[in-house]
Amino acid sequence: MCIRDSHGGEYRELCEYCQEHALKNVVLIQSLSNPFPILAKCDCFILSSFYEGLPMSIMEALILDKPVVSTNITGPREFLEQGYGELVEDSQQGLYDGMVKAYDHELDLKPFDARAFNEQALQEFYQILK
C-alpha cells in the first residue's frame, strides 16, 4: 500500500515509524509533481485527511483503477458514496479497517469512467453559463 502525505505535519514521525518497524511496502511522499508513476504501482489509495475538498488525488487513483479508501469527511463523502470508494470512520481504527478490507480485496466498488465524468462536468458548467 502507499500513503501519500503531501504537506502533513507528521511526515517525520511516519518515516521514523516505518524505519523502526522495517516496513518495506509503505511509500511516504512529502511532495511530488507527478504522482502517476508511483500511484500506478500501489495496491490502493488511502485518503486520511481530517478535512478536504474533493482532492484530485482521488480522481488520479480512480483513473488508474486503484481502490480508494477515505475518511468519511465532507468533500470525498459526496463523491465516494456513489460507489467509487470505501468511506471509513475518521480515526486510526477506521483507516486500519479500510486498509484491511482493501488488502483482503473485500471492497465492492463501482468502476470510474473519467470520460463520462468530464463530459457531465462540462455540461453542468455550460448550463451555468447559459
Side-chain angles (χ1 to χ4, degrees):
M1 297 212 189
C2 272
I3 298 174
R4 182 173 176 212
D5 181 5
S6 58
H7 301 290
E10 297 175 345
Y11 181 76
R12 184 173 295 143
E13 290 176 38
L14 290 170
C15 287
E16 290 171 6
Y17 180 89
C18 290
Q19 288 173 346
E20 289 171 11
H21 293 85
L23 300 177
K24 300 192 186 303
N25 293 329
V26 175
V27 176
L28 299 173
I29 301 166
Q30 192 168 21
S31 180
L32 185 66
S33 62
N34 180 6
F36 281 96
I38 292 175
L39 187 54
K41 294 181 183 222
C42 294
D43 298 320
C44 71
F45 178 79
I46 309 292
L47 182 70
S48 59
S49 296
F50 297 121
Y51 175 81
E52 196 78 47
L54 179 56
M56 288 305 298
S57 54
I58 286 178
M59 301 294 184
E60 293 165 348
L62 291 172
I63 288 168
L64 293 173
D65 201 29
K66 302 297 175 184
V68 172
V69 174
S70 173
T71 49
N72 190 359
I73 57 173
T74 303
R77 176 186 311 123
E78 288 79 14
F79 180 71
L80 295 178
E81 69 185 358
Q82 298 175 56
Y84 297 120
E86 179 79 9
L87 292 167
V88 298
E89 179 183 304
D90 187 5
S91 67
Q92 289 180 357
Q93 186 64 47
L95 289 166
Y96 173 79
D97 293 343
M99 286 187 236
V100 168
K101 284 180 79 173
Y103 182 80
D104 291 339
H105 303 284
E106 294 178 355
L107 301 178
D108 183 27
L109 304 177
K110 181 167 104 175
F112 178 68
D113 184 342
R115 288 187 197 278
F117 179 83
N118 285 340
E119 287 177 23
Q120 181 177 347
L122 279 173
Q123 288 176 0
E124 291 173 12
F125 175 73
Y126 291 138
Q127 286 299 318
I128 291 170
L129 295 177
K130 287 184 178 183

